[in-house]
């Protein structure tokens, strides 16, 4: 873990807690992280095609079996899909095994039919002997941050002390962005992609969502991009985990979930800013509460 030069800032600790929270009940966990379909659908095919752009026949394959079409390898490293051989403990996620041993849809299990794989290590199941190095800042963010800043540039910037001038350089953007893509085994972008600022902005947003999934980045990304209102007011989508063992095909159909309070997400524009504590306002009469609070 510590020899990984991609990690710049991280928190290191034993991670039996990660296993306990995220693994399914059949592996002595709580299955607490229910991954949303909206994230799963963001992972492209292995040849870099967005799911929305797939031919109807390919999309139908995916509906019947999520593993039928090869996807971005980061999907299989991040999310446990039904039928997925997880690569740890020779475990295969079979929702209906033994009449529903994984208890999808129930308290203490996945509410959406997907659960999180990222950060799970089979050494942590019982002994807690594994080590979790949770990334706070890693080299991938250096690259994507640089590309994003360059994409938003108008004109040029000169660092007088270092005597360096930076402009919106398409070739640099392609080179640094594709380091992330190639590392993941995905096809790279082209100069034509990077030349279109709006298109490049969308590509950066997509790549950050996939690359940094479950690393605590998206909370802040959605707010600084002012995309939180749209993202958080979408319905919670998942598989139909209410399906019985005799309804296997129904299980794979998409369902909107709002059966629990936490599934009924609401985001208003005032939430871009947090409210100021009333005690703080009382201490300083010149302070004004943030809008909407």
């Amino acid at each position: 873990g510590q020899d990984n030069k991609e990690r710049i800032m991280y928190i290191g600790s034993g991670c039996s807690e990660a296993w306990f929270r995220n693994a399914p009940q059949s592996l002595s966990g709580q299955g607490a992280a229910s991954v949303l379909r909206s994230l799963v659908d963001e992972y492209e095919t292995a040849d870099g095609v967005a799911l929305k752009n797939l031919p109807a026949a390919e999309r139908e394959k995916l509906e019947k079996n999520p593993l039928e079409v090869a996807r971005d390898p980061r999907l299989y490293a991040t999310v446990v899909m039904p039928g997925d051989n997880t690569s740890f403990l020779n475990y295969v996620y079979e929702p209906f095994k033994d009449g529903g041993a994984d208890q999808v849809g129930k308290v203490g299990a996945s509410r959406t039919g997907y659960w999180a794989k990222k950060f799970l290590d089979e050494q942590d199941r019982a002994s807690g002997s594994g080590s979790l190095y949770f990334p706070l800042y890693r080299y991938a963010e250096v690259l994507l941050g640089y590309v994003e800043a360059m994409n938003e540039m108008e004109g040029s910037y000169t660092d007088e002390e270092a005597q360096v001038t930076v402009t919106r350089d398409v070739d640099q953007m392609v080179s640094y962005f594709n380091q992330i893509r190639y590392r993941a085994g995905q096809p790279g972008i082209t100069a034509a992609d990077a030349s279109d600022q709006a298109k490049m902005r969308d590509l950066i947003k997509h790549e950050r969502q996939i690359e940094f999934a479950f690393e605590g980045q998206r909370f802040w990304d959605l707010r600084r991009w002012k995309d939180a209102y749209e993202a958080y007011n979408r319905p919670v989508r998942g598989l139909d985990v209410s399906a019985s063992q005799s309804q296997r095909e129904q299980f794979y159909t998409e369902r909107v979930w709002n059966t629990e309070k936490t599934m009924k997400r609401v985001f208003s524009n005032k939430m871009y800013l947090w409210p100021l504590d009333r005690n703080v306002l009382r201490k300083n009469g010149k302070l004004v509460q943030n809008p909407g609070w």
Side-chain angles (χ1 to χ4, degrees), residues 124-135:
D124 301 314
R125 183 185 183 189
S127 66
S129 60
S131 293
L132 168 63
Y133 293 93
F134 186 84

Side-chain angles (χ1 to χ4, degrees), residues 4 6-12 118-119 132-139 141 211-217:
N4 188 332
E6 293 185 16
R7 296 189 177 102
I8 298 173
M9 295 179 63
Y10 58 87
I11 298 173
K118 203 171 192 178
F119 305 127
L132 168 63
Y133 293 93
F134 186 84
L136 300 177
Y137 193 77
R138 56 188 178 91
Y139 187 57
E141 188 168 359
E211 180 66 22
F212 301 126
F214 306 139
E215 293 183 29
Q217 299 283 1

Side-chain angles (χ1 to χ4, degrees), residues 3 18 32 101 104 117 146 173 193 208 215 224 238 252 284:
D3 295 331
V104 290
K117 181 191 292 187
Y146 182 77
M173 291 165 62
D193 295 325
R208 286 188 66 88
E215 293 183 29
R224 67 187 180 86
Y252 289 106
N284 187 341

Side-chain angles (χ1 to χ4, degrees), residues 95-100 242-249:
F96 299 107
K97 183 179 179 181
D98 300 326
S242 68
S244 65
Q245 189 169 7
S246 62
Q247 299 172 309
R248 290 173 182 263
E249 289 191 11

